[in-house]
Amino acid sequence: MNEIRLGAIFVLLAGGVFFTFVSAVGVIRLPDVYTRAHTASQTDTLGAGLVVAAVVLAYGVETEVIKALLLLVFIFITNPTAAHAVGRAAYEEGIEPWTKGDERR
Amino acid sequence: MADHTHDPPPGGALLVPVGESVTLRQTVAYTMEIAAAEEISEVHFVSPVAWHDVGDVELAVRERTQSLLDRVSVWAEEDAPADAPTIHTAVIGAEEYLFSPDDYADILARYADERGIKRIIVDPEYSPGGNVPLLRPMEVALAVRGFDVIEAPASRPVRRSRLTRPGGIAQFGLLFGISFLFYQLLGGFVIVTGDSFDFFYELITGTITAGLVAGALYTVTLSNRIRLRTLGKQLLRLGLYVPYLVYEIIKSNILITTIILHPKLPIEPRMTRVRSAVWGGPALTTLGNSITLTPGTLTVRTEGQDLYVHSLFQSARDGVADGALERAVRFVFYGRRAAAIPTPRERGDYVELQGPNAESEPDAGAEADVESEPDAETEPVEEEPK
């Protein structure tokens, strides 16, 4: 039983690290501020979610779980808000979104 | 603006948008004074209504608005000069989503244009859609549309600052409850699991903390009138919505991961605009945030009900155009009946601002075979001006 739990924690953690890594790759590979805002915040959401899920599993049935879940709620609220703030700032600066064929910025 | 503009009435006409406000009586008096001094022949009192709720509340709003207009016309007749101008009253905007002061200005402008009215008297304390800071007030929006806008000089009580609104016992109670629960949550519910000392300790400190929070912030945090039953239903439906959202997030996360790791990086980013069929702060925020949360789409800007959505690839765009999230948010906030609504693409509320289909109005012919569900509340919004 314990091995299964340990395994599940490992899988969740690995998933979390993977999605966070992809998010970082996206920031480097994508061409402009809007597309980067996509990946910087969003792929992160799942990454953080999986890590929190691993934490919950590691604690088992305890009150700390509630805090971990609250953390998730806040991430889900603040992450898109931050992405929106970045996108909006760029839009108000008048930055044209990159389209196919444009140069990378 | 309107095609069928009438000639203005011979003596000139005044348009007065009215709604619940402390200076309404004075505004009516001032209007009739002007009407007498300048021998105005028509005075229109119109009340824009906003359906912030659908269903049973709608009737109550309609009745309240009607009784307000009745009151106004009684007052106007009291103040009327000997050669009284004709007084018209009207309720407008019942079939539209009014959100920002600009929306209100739009329908008022339409009303005025249809009747050739050039002058508008505004009540200084009446600011429909004005709960939202950062938006220009209706007076300004009307002046921009070329009307002669006069603000009725009304002595008024101290102007409230924008941040606070009158709060009642319900606001205080709800905020207190949430704060108290949150405090206990962070304390690990020792109040339930601990011994009697813990119980009293947690109870007292929790009450003090929640009391301070609620006392300081209850006029700021919860802006709208609270109907506990509606709120409860919305929370329940939110509980159904969250798993759906999580599923969507996971699904599109996997998609975006494959795209980022794809050697060719097959993206086609594009800016699109969607006029969403939700209104009001919380609902619009939920929709905007949900769109942003699902990878591939990013809400860049909101203007009234217009969401400017930046999307990374075609299937993400289609998701927005098909409005699954919009329907879900309508379900959460307005109930199951409101969720049955044509998609933004069918309504013609979805426009791509870049790419091959840029700026072209959605092709009605192509969508004609798609059956749109009849729904009283979702009359297609009028054509976008190009």
Side-chain angles (χ1 to χ4, degrees):
Chain A
M1 189 58 211
N2 231 355
E3 285 78 25
I4 297 175
R5 200 169 104 183
L6 211 61
I9 291 171
F10 177 77
V11 168
L12 288 172
L13 274 181
V17 170
F18 172 72
F19 280 109
T20 313
F21 172 73
V22 167
S23 167
V25 171
V27 170
I28 295 166
R29 289 198 73 191
L30 288 167
D32 77 335
V33 59
Y34 296 100
T35 48
R36 284 185 182 128
H38 280 277
T39 178
S41 65
Q42 293 162 344
T43 329
D44 247 7
T45 313
L46 190 57
L50 289 174
V51 172
V52 169
V55 169
V56 168
L57 257 189
Y59 272 118
V61 187
E62 256 190 77
T63 48
E64 306 301 322
V65 170
I66 299 173
K67 288 183 197 169
L69 290 179
L70 273 178
L71 202 63
L72 198 61
V73 170
F74 291 134
I75 289 173
F76 269 57
I77 293 172
T78 51
N79 238 350
T81 311
H84 170 71
V86 171
R88 188 187 167 120
Y91 191 80
E92 300 207 333
E93 280 291 305
I95 299 174
E96 280 286 308
W98 180 92
T99 46
K100 227 173 183 164
D102 283 6
E103 202 133 314
R104 279 179 55 96
R105 282 168 232 167
Chain B
M1 275 185 235
D3 299 327
H4 40 281
T5 306
H6 292 271
D7 290 331
L14 294 171
L15 175 66
V16 190
V18 290
E20 287 295 351
S21 97
V22 283
T23 50
L24 179 59
R25 182 69 189 89
Q26 283 156 304
T27 305
V28 172
Y30 175 75
T31 307
M32 298 316 284
E33 233 171 74
I34 295 258
E38 302 182 13
E39 292 172 6
I40 300 285
S41 61
E42 276 181 29
V43 179
H44 295 259
F45 293 101
V46 295
S47 190
V49 286
W51 304 130
H52 281 300
D53 301 273
V54 284
D56 45 348
V57 189
E58 194 172 304
L59 202 67
V61 174
R62 193 184 287 276
E63 276 167 10
R64 209 163 51 229
T65 311
Q66 199 50 56
S67 88
L68 176 93
L69 283 175
D70 291 345
R71 219 158 61 219
V72 165
S73 59
V74 169
W75 286 338
E77 270 155 32
E78 259 174 39
D79 299 338
D83 49 345
T86 6
I87 291 162
H88 301 269
T89 59
V91 179
I92 57 173
E95 260 110 52
E96 314 200 17
Y97 307 116
L98 300 179
F99 171 66
S100 67
D102 261 336
D103 298 343
Y104 284 92
D106 272 336
I107 57 162
L108 285 168
R110 207 180 317 141
Y111 182 93
D113 282 335
E114 279 166 10
R115 289 162 185 77
I117 304 172
K118 292 275 170 286
R119 298 174 67 192
I120 298 178
I121 295 186
V122 293
D123 180 340
E125 280 289 308
Y126 174 57
S127 50
N131 280 352
V132 189
L134 303 180
L135 296 178
R136 61 181 176 195
M138 187 183 69
E139 293 94 298
V140 180
L142 280 169
V144 166
R145 283 167 177 73
F147 290 98
D148 184 7
V149 180
I150 313 162
E151 183 168 296
S155 61
R156 49 182 184 260
V158 182
R159 224 179 212 297
R160 276 184 265 107
S161 71
R162 269 188 173 152
L163 197 58
T164 60
R165 267 155 243 135
I169 190 83
Q171 271 88 345
F172 182 86
L174 191 64
L175 193 57
F176 181 88
I178 293 171
S179 309
F180 189 80
L181 201 69
F182 188 67
Y183 185 86
Q184 301 305 339
L185 214 60
L186 290 186
F189 276 113
V190 180
I191 197 165
V192 186
T193 57
D195 54 28
S196 67
F197 171 78
D198 283 341
F199 175 80
F200 284 111
Y201 181 77
E202 294 287 326
L203 186 71
I204 291 166
T205 52
T207 308
I208 292 171
T209 313
L212 283 176
V213 169
L217 298 175
Y218 79 109
T219 53
V220 181
T221 314
L222 304 161
S223 55
N224 295 328
R225 218 147 47 88
I226 296 167
R227 295 182 204 85
L228 275 181
R229 252 187 60 209
T230 322
L231 193 70
K233 276 196 226 156
Q234 286 176 345
L235 281 179
L236 273 182
R237 291 193 292 246
L238 193 67
L240 291 176
Y241 173 63
V242 168
Y244 166 73
L245 184 64
V246 169
Y247 168 73
E248 285 292 316
I249 288 172
I250 292 174
K251 205 174 67 178
S252 39
N253 242 311
I254 291 168
L255 191 62
I256 205 172
T257 300
T258 56
I259 283 178
I260 287 175
L261 296 182
H262 195 284
K264 285 195 179 133
L265 201 65
I267 54 167
E268 283 176 17
R270 209 160 287 170
M271 193 68 89
T272 57
R273 186 183 60 207
V274 189
R275 170 161 291 196
S276 61
V278 303
W279 56 94
L284 209 59
T285 308
T286 308
L287 180 61
N289 262 5
S290 302
I291 288 176
T292 307
L293 259 178
T294 46
T297 49
L298 174 70
T299 312
V300 168
R301 213 193 138 91
T302 58
E303 251 169 39
Q305 285 164 266
D306 289 345
L307 296 178
Y308 288 78
V309 178
H310 186 264
S311 54
L312 215 45
F313 41 86
Q314 189 60 42
S315 68
R317 266 194 289 288
D318 289 342
V320 172
D322 293 337
L325 283 174
E326 179 189 84
R327 240 169 287 149
V329 170
R330 277 176 72 88
F331 167 71
V332 171
F333 282 90
Y334 313 130
R336 205 173 50 186
R337 212 165 54 86
I341 177 180
T343 67
R345 208 202 292 272
E346 284 162 18
R347 295 198 306 265
D349 286 350
Y350 169 79
V351 184
E352 291 190 3
L353 302 176
Q354 288 183 310
N357 310 327
E359 288 290 0
S360 62
E361 288 292 299
D363 188 4
E367 307 289 342
D369 52 330
V370 184
E371 200 186 37
S372 61
E373 283 155 284
D375 189 334
E377 291 136 21
T378 55
E379 291 297 320
V381 187
E382 84 275 35
E383 292 273 302
E384 295 276 340
K386 277 187 209 180

